[in-house]
Amino acid sequence: MFDKLLSLMTLSEEHREELKTKRGFTDETIDKFGFKSAIHPDDAEGVKAELLKHYTEEELKNGKLLLSADDISPKSDNQPGDLTFTIVGDGIVVPFFEADRWCTYLRRHKFGLSGTTPKVYDATRSDGTSLVLTEGEYKACALHQLGYSACASPGISLFGGKNFGLLEDWILSQDINDVYIMFDGEIKDDPIKYNKQYKPDKRVRHDTDWWAYKLARMLDQSGINTKVVTWPESWLIEGKIDPDAALAAGRTREEFDALLENAYTHKEFRKSWSGEKKQVLEQKAKKEAFKSDIIQKNGQYLKKVKKGDEEYEVPITNFTMEIVAKNSSRNEETDRIEIVRETIIKSQDGEYTAKLNIEPVHFTSPTEFKKAVMGIGDFQYTGDGNDLVNLVNRLFAEQEVKDCQRPIQIGRINEDLYSGFFTDNVAFCNNEVIHSDDEGGFWVDNTYVKPSSYIIESAPGVLLNTEQFDWKESLDHLCGAYGSHAPRVLVLWQIASLFSDTFFNIRGGRGSFPLMYVGGGFKSGKTTLIGIVNNYLGMGNVQQIDIATTTKAGLDRTMKFYSSLPVWIDELRSETFDSNMQGMLRGAHNRSSGMKAMRTGTSQVRTTDIKCTLLLSGQETPPDAALNERMVKVNINSADRPFSNADFKWMTKHMDKLSYMTYDLLSKGDEITEYIQAHYVDNSDDMNDRLENSRVAGNYAVIMTIAEYLGMDKVEGFEDYLYQIAIDSCTESDERNESNVIFFEMLDIMQEQGIHAGKYFHKRRDDDDVDVAWTKMYAKYKETKAKRRETVMDSRALLNQLKDSGVVTKPSNAKVDGHPTRCWRVNTKRLPHELVDYIESNYGRRDGF
C-alpha cells in the first residue's frame, strides 16, 4: 500500500535543492532515501482513485491513508474518505523502508499518521558496528552520509515510555556493539538572543537532556552499551545545532568522531548536570524513582494494606488533587515568606472540580486537612496521620509544581530572588524586557514571578502598550488642550515616580521625593486631566481615592500595593481632610513610616511602609504647612483653556497608546538612573541658590532633572513656568507658620534616627501639655542639619516664634530621660497632630503616661 503510494509521488526540483542547501544532502543520499514532495491538493483525488484500483477504501482507512470520521477535528475542512493531510499539502514526505527497499510507512516531515504504531527510522549501513540514535529522519540521513549507521525516533520521548520495547527489540536485531544518542542541542533560556526556541518555563527547557539520559539508562539496563553525545557551544548556529545542520555547515567525519569519543555514559552524563539543569532534572529523577504506599486509582487515593500474606487497597479519599503552583509572598508585617499552594481538587467521578489554596497548616493533621477539603465541596478524607504524610510526600515528589513568587505589590519590587519593575504584561529586570506568559507571570533569572496581591485582589494593575508611539508629541497636544505647562509638569512627575527609588537613595539614602498636588476649582478640568495622564503609566483604570470617605486602613493597603507608582487622593478640602492621615501622607516625602495604631496589648506601633508616590488633588491645598512644603503644585484654571477642542480630541483618539511612554522609559532604566544620580544634586543646589528654600528646591529639581534628560527643559516657556510655580510654593510656605514646619522637621529627624521620644519629652499627667527639653532637642536638630550642610534658624528666634504662636507657653522643670531638666511647656493643642501622636502613641505606654 505505502509502496504503491510512493510510486505515484515525485520529488520537485525545488524540494531537491532545499535538501541540498538546508540539509547538506548529496543527490546520492536524496535518491537512496527516496524523499518525495507531498501530494498537491489538486492531485489528491487522482492519487486516491489510483489507490482504489488496488485497495479497498476500508483497507486504505485502516492503513491511515484515507481519513475516517474519528481522524477529523471539528475545525477541519476535511471529509471522511479524503487522503490524509499528513501527505497532502506542501513539504517533503519521508518513506520508511525495510531491508529489501519495501516501503512500509511514510509521513510528511514533522507530521505523523494518526493512530499508527511509532516506527524506528532505519538509516543503517551494512558496514556499521555502532549506531547513532537521533530524534528525526533528516538527522539520521545526514549521519548516514557521513558514514555512520544511524536510526531515528520520531520524537525524543516517543520510545522513552511504553513504546521502549519497540526500540529495544529493533536495536537488538542489529549487528552492533555500541549506541550513541545524539539529540539536538538548543539554548532555550535566552529570550533576547534566541527568542525563537526560548522556553519561559524552566521545567521544560531541559527535556532533551532528560530523555537522552533516560533512554541511555534504559538501554544500558537492557545490556546495550549506550552513551550520550553532547554538542560543543562552538557548533551552535543561532543557538541550536543538529546533525543535518552541522553537515550543511561543513562539519566533517573527523569532527563527529571526536564528539562520539567524548560521549558520556548515563551515569557520567547525570554527574555533568549543574545549575538550573541539575535542579530540574534531579526533580524528574526523584519523581520517577518515588515509591509510595499511597496509589491513585479510579479517581481516588488508596493505601496499600497488608494482612498476613495478603495485600489489599483501602480508599482514603473520594477525590484526587493536583498542586499547580506553590505561591510564595512576603508578609509585610512579619517580614516572613508565606507559602500557599494553589490546588485543584477533582471529584471521584471527574465531574466536579474546585480550587483550594492550601496553607502549610492544612497538612499538619487529618483534622486540618479535612476542614480544608470539606470547606469547598463534598470531599472526604478518611485516612490517619501517617496516610496524610505519605499522601503529601507523593504529591510533592510526583508533581512538577511551578514555584511561583507572588509579591504583594506591583511596580518596582526588590527581593532576594528577583528584582525589577513589574507591570501586568511587561517586566523590566537586569537590562532585560520580559513579556508575561499566558498565566500573567514572568521568568526572571529562573524564578517565576507573578505580581498580585493577597491584600487587594481587585486592585487595578498596570497594562502597557508595547507598540511604538510618539508620546512626546502627545504632551504638546495635552498642554495645548489645557493652555499651560501644568500637564507637562504632572507627566514629568509621573516619570520621576517610576525612578523614585533613585531619588530616595541620593545623599546616602537621605533623599526624598515630592508629593504632587493638582489644584483647581469646581469643573476646572483637573480630574479629567489626571484621568488622562494616568494612561501614560498604563493606569487608566485606576480611580482616585476620596479622602472624605476612605479609611486609614484602606489607604494603608493601597499605598503598600503600588510601588514607585502614584496613588491618587482626591477631594482635599479643609473640612474633609482628616488630620489623622497627615503623618502618613507626609511620610511619603521621605518614606518614613506613617503611624497607624498601637498593637493591642503591646507598646509596639503598627506602621505603614510607604512605597508609592502620592498624587493629591482638590479645590484647596491641605491646611498642614509641612505637607505643603513637600509638594510640587500646579493649578488648573478653566480660563487658561483655549477655545479650540482639537488637541483634546487628538488625545482622546490616542489614549490607549500613551502608555508606550512607560514602556519606552523603563526600557532605558539604567541610563535614566545614571542621569538622575549625576545631575539631581546639582539641579537641587542651583534651584536652592534661586529660591533659598532647600526643601522646595529639592522638590522642583526632581521635575527639572527629568525634563533635562528628555530635552523638555528647552520647550518654549517651560523653564520659566517651572521656576514661577516653585517661587509661588516658597512664598506660600513662608506665609505659613514656619515654627510648625520646623517642629515637623525635628519630628522627621527623630523618627529617621529611631530616637526615643522620652529623650526629649515629658507628658504631664494633669493636663494636655508636654514639657520639652528644648536645648537638647535643638542641639540634635542642629547637629543633623550641619551634617547635611543645611542652615538652621537660630534657637532663640525659633523659640520666640513658637511663643508668639502660642505653642510654647512658659519655662518649666521636668524629669526627662530620667534626669531633672530645664524645659519649656508646650501646648499640645497648638502642635501638629503628628507630633502629639509621636509622643503619646509611640512611647506613652512605656513611660506610664
Side-chain angles (χ1 to χ4, degrees), residues 157-177:
S157 63
L158 205 58
F159 289 125
K162 63 181 181 180
N163 296 315
F164 172 72
L166 298 175
L167 176 67
E168 180 187 32
D169 292 344
W170 187 90
I171 292 176
L172 289 173
S173 71
Q174 308 297 311
D175 185 18
I176 59 167
N177 298 325

Side-chain angles (χ1 to χ4, degrees), residues 564-620:
S564 293
L565 288 166
V567 169
W568 176 16
I569 300 176
D570 195 18
E571 296 299 330
L572 292 185
R573 295 191 300 271
S574 298
E575 65 272 18
T576 61
F577 189 73
D578 184 357
S579 61
N580 288 323
M581 294 185 181
Q582 291 180 20
M584 187 184 292
L585 301 185
R586 285 193 304 106
H589 183 261
N590 57 2
R591 283 192 177 168
S592 63
S593 297
M595 289 161 294
K596 185 174 180 182
M598 299 292 294
R599 294 185 187 275
T600 304
T602 74
S603 59
Q604 295 177 314
V605 177
R606 295 177 61 196
T607 59
T608 299
D609 291 328
I610 297 172
K611 299 183 180 179
C612 67
T613 60
L614 283 181
L615 169 57
L616 312 177
S617 62
Q619 298 183 38
E620 302 174 18

Side-chain angles (χ1 to χ4, degrees), residues 231 261 304 357 380 424 506 566 576 611 702 712 734 741 825:
W231 297 94
E261 182 68 26
K304 296 177 183 177
N357 286 333
Q380 297 176 3
D424 282 2
I506 286 174
T576 61
K611 299 183 180 179
V702 168
M712 291 187 183
D734 291 342
V741 172
R825 182 73 46 81

Side-chain angles (χ1 to χ4, degrees), residues 11 15-16 19-20 23-36 92-95 97 101 121-125 137-148 150 244 247:
L11 180 68
H15 284 149
R16 180 176 288 271
L19 290 169
K20 288 181 177 180
R23 308 293 174 181
F25 294 166
T26 62
D27 282 318
E28 181 185 358
T29 297
I30 294 170
D31 293 336
K32 180 173 183 176
F33 289 100
F35 299 115
K36 305 293 182 182
I92 298 172
V93 170
V94 181
F97 294 111
R101 295 288 298 170
Y121 183 76
D122 185 351
T124 56
R125 303 175 68 95
E137 296 88 357
Y138 287 157
K139 286 103 175 184
C141 293
L143 290 163
H144 182 97
Q145 183 171 305
L146 284 164
Y148 297 102
D244 52 323
L247 176 66

